[in-house]
Amino acid sequence: MTERDVDTLPGVGPAVRKRLSRLGLRTVGDLLAHRPRRYEHPVDERSIVELHGDAEAVIEGTVERSRSRRRGRLHILTARVSDGSGEVDATWFNQPWLERQLVPGVRVRLRGKPNRYGFQVESYDLGEATETADFAPVYPSSEQLEQKRLRSIVASALPYARAGGDPLPALLRQAERLPLRADALTALHHPRSLEEAEMGRRRLAFDELLTLQLALARRAAEREQLVAAALPAPGTLVARYRQVLPFTLTGAQEAAIAEIDADLGRTRPMQRLLQGDVGSGKTVVALYALLRAVEAGRQGAMMAPTEVLAEQHLLTIEGLCAELGVRVALLTSALGAREHANVRRLIASGDVQVAVGTHALIQREVAFHDLAVAVVDEQQRFGVEQRSALAGGRAPHVLHMTATPIPRTLALTVYGDLAVSEIAAPPANRRPIVTAWVTDDRSSEAYERLTRHLAAGRQAYVVCPLIEASETTLARAAEDEAERLRRSELKGFRVGCMHGRLNPGDRRALMAQFKAGEIDVLVATTVVEVGVDVPNATIMIVQEADRFGLAQLHQLRGRVGRGAEQSYCLLVSRRKEELTDAARERLEAMVESADGFELAERDLEIRGEGQLLGARQSGLSDLRFTKLRQDMDLLERAREAARRLGDAELLADAVGVLLGEADHLGDS
Ligand code: ADP
Ligand code: MG
């Protein structure tokens, strides 16, 4: 029932349908799940004679007469309203169509504030109290679709909440003391108190968390069926690898490696998450795992979410692999058709020992000769092993890597089905990055500082503003900025420009040049956010840093501070008075902390709810109602319930309903 298109609701025609769809609202179910941002606070109902000061109030009365006038572009509509105790002139701005409705004798209920001229209306009802009700929902809306309209559309969807019964088995619902889902939805959209709204939200959050946990459990069960080949104990190749590395591995890296070794020795495919802050040294560990496959006479694959990142991974590992005599190939869509086919053939024959590419490419286009270990960077936690298993008969061992700093408790939610290795401490030679926040008027000092680093033989990044524009516009803006800098602040230095519109060959050449020190400064869009690893780059300027999210800033900053030198990150923004509170708090947090986990927590606080970095990849973005910090108890209960449900076949139907909703999880 909730699959019904929104246009089946009264008053929703093609135009409104389109505006709704811009808000992501396509079905009645979407409307029901449109969570209010907040609720109107309660205000007193007063008689007109009792109105005083500028205290917000609700009044009710009858229209005596109305008139309208214009002042410039402002349309002002005034209605004299009386309630027996007195009269007041109520005013509306820019709602000319209302004039026809405010005819003498009409009953109105108004919420607003007394002002010099009478009563300034914030919301009104001509019939039943909905708009003016206490705790009226305030939805994420748009300019094209005003709040009042959206409220009435959601209200007209609400009866469908009762259709189709409750997805939770009654026993479970009672045991958890949860309201019916329909009641929860009603409470969410039409609460009589904030407590009621919160109770509704928690029931909906429980459903979400349970769905997620069931999906994880199902995925884990599917994996139980898979069989991998156990790899023999570590051999000479990885021993040589340790020798050619220009540093010794840290304790945390060694611990992760020991855990991986233990996994690889089993016939149950490894499903391990390697978690560590940016720059903590995960890639080094990942390559170790790949080499374990190679020394067993088998193959490894490294999959990245984007081509840029895949190229970057190749740059990181190809030197080492060459030294070790390991044959590596990059498979990208940029290869010509013949070359592409050739690389695929070499992978299929086993001549290529380690293949690097995007998730999509490797999973869709490649049949491996004998894939034993897959490293999956930052995405797509599901699906890899199944597909590869079909191809080769045996499932590979999978190591997932993430720099998403999800607090440990939360990791349980999203990675509940994976074993976790954490690299908590960066290599000891690191000095914490010094982060400073400077405003526009002093940006020249930032560039002076940057050029001092360049003069001393170091390299730098300048990150271009994040604008809401097409990739092409963004690329052009970056090129223009690079050109401007070449002529002004960075005159005399070698400036390269990197963006998403460069063709992969050029991009690779550029990265190689930067790595080789043939370019001093890389002016870049956020494509440098992940993976780029040039230890000689010691300073970064982020332009218009107030536009970036906290997590993104942290990722960007992780591009410097990768060597033993002191590194700097300079965040340039508009003047503080011009920034939103949230932007100010983000920049302050960046200056105060370099710890990804702490920043993730701060991010949650600033945003007030459950959107974290990597939310999309991790399935967390499906959590609309859950407030991760607040709902830890619910998470535990949902895990427990998922375990119990998992055991009871009797409940399969109900579970099926929930899982039906969860099917898209992980496919993103
Ligand atoms: P991540 O993938 O976690 O962001 P990387 O593996 O790319 O981190 O490592 C970041 C940088 O630190 C690289 O330049 C790498 O060579 C270096 N590095 C990794 N491990 C160590 C170590 N044990 N000692 C010193 N430097 C290291
Ligand atoms: Mg890395």
Side-chain angles (χ1 to χ4, degrees), residues 203-354:
R203 156 71 209 252
L204 299 168
F206 183 84
D207 287 9
E208 264 172 4
L209 290 167
L210 180 62
T211 305
L212 188 62
Q213 295 306 314
L214 285 169
L216 291 176
R218 187 175 61 168
R219 227 90 53 165
E222 278 168 14
R223 284 181 184 147
E224 295 279 331
Q225 314 291 317
L226 300 173
V227 179
L231 297 183
T236 51
L237 182 62
V238 289
R240 277 170 53 222
Y241 175 54
R242 288 171 180 283
Q243 283 163 11
V244 299
L245 279 177
F247 42 75
T248 47
L249 297 171
T250 65
Q253 285 169 324
E254 290 291 3
I257 281 175
E259 287 168 329
I260 289 167
D261 278 336
D263 289 350
L264 295 179
R266 301 195 185 104
T267 53
R268 177 162 173 217
M270 169 166 76
Q271 282 297 340
R272 180 168 292 281
L273 176 72
L274 181 59
Q275 207 182 1
D277 210 343
V278 282
S280 60
K282 295 181 293 298
T283 314
V284 175
V285 173
L287 181 54
Y288 175 92
L290 294 171
L291 294 175
R292 288 291 316 279
V294 173
E295 68 179 5
R298 308 184 58 200
Q299 288 170 297
M302 181 119 172
M303 299 181 226
T306 64
E307 297 228 326
V308 179
L309 194 47
E311 289 157 16
Q312 179 56 39
H313 278 320
L314 183 81
L315 283 174
T316 311
I317 69 173
E318 79 185 339
L320 284 163
C321 286
E323 227 175 315
L324 296 168
V326 171
R327 294 184 300 277
V328 185
L330 177 70
L331 189 71
T332 76
S333 58
L335 297 177
R338 284 225 344 248
E339 187 53 16
H340 201 270
N342 189 38
V343 172
R344 277 186 327 221
R345 198 174 46 73
L346 292 174
I347 295 173
S349 68
D351 282 321
V352 164
Q353 295 167 298
V354 174

Side-chain angles (χ1 to χ4, degrees), residues 390-631:
L390 286 181
R394 284 182 300 190
H397 295 283
V398 183
L399 182 67
H400 306 263
M401 277 202 294
T402 181
T404 304
I406 296 183
R408 199 184 313 270
T409 28
L410 299 188
L412 278 182
T413 331
V414 268
Y415 300 121
D417 57 337
L418 301 183
V420 179
S421 298
E422 190 180 305
I423 303 187
N429 63 351
R430 295 287 164 73
R431 294 195 215 171
I433 301 166
V434 174
T435 302
W437 171 17
V438 293
T439 47
D440 275 339
D441 45 316
R442 297 183 43 201
S443 78
S444 62
E445 290 168 35
Y447 281 96
E448 276 158 28
R449 185 160 207 178
L450 184 133
T451 50
R452 280 205 298 277
H453 278 246
L454 300 181
R458 307 271 160 241
Q459 290 164 285
Y461 298 97
V462 174
V463 180
C464 294
L466 186 71
I467 44 179
E468 300 233 350
S470 71
E471 196 73 47
T472 312
T473 320
L474 211 62
R476 195 163 330 118
E479 299 271 15
D480 289 350
E481 180 60 12
E483 195 46 48
R484 190 188 71 75
L485 288 169
R486 275 184 201 113
R487 278 186 272 111
S488 51
E489 280 97 333
L490 302 181
K491 197 162 180 171
F493 293 102
R494 296 162 300 177
V495 178
C497 180
M498 173 135 123
H499 52 70
R501 271 282 170 261
L502 282 185
N503 78 48
D506 292 349
R507 203 161 54 209
R508 238 188 115 188
L510 184 66
M511 272 320 302
Q513 274 181 298
F514 188 56
K515 227 177 167 141
E518 291 157 17
I519 286 177
D520 301 308
V521 186
L522 205 57
V523 174
T525 60
T526 51
V527 293
V528 298
E529 188 181 332
V530 277
V532 175
D533 182 30
V534 178
N536 191 46
T538 51
I539 185 164
M540 164 180 281
I541 288 182
V542 182
Q543 298 180 336
E544 299 189 29
D546 50 294
R547 291 172 179 252
F548 293 87
L550 190 48
Q552 200 167 24
L553 287 172
H554 181 61
Q555 289 287 329
L556 283 169
R557 177 170 60 184
R559 297 312 112 208
V560 295
R562 304 191 137 238
E565 295 298 322
Q566 177 64 59
S567 288
Y568 297 84
C569 175
L570 308 176
L571 306 169
V572 181
S573 81
R574 287 170 289 166
R575 293 184 319 157
K576 300 192 182 182
E577 308 82 72
E578 295 174 46
L579 301 179
T580 62
D581 288 346
R584 258 198 311 272
E585 285 173 43
R586 288 198 297 271
L587 295 171
E588 275 160 12
M590 281 293 292
V591 172
E592 281 160 22
S593 175
D595 176 28
F597 288 83
E598 193 181 321
L599 288 172
E601 296 265 329
R602 289 285 290 273
D603 203 20
L604 277 180
E605 275 163 28
I606 294 170
R607 301 198 206 192
E609 45 208 73
Q611 287 295 325
L612 284 161
L613 163 71
R616 189 150 280 297
Q617 293 102 299
S618 56
L620 273 178
S621 60
D622 298 300
L623 302 183
R624 250 172 221 268
F625 298 107
T626 305
K627 296 187 174 175
L628 288 164
R629 286 165 77 83
Q630 249 162 275
D631 295 341

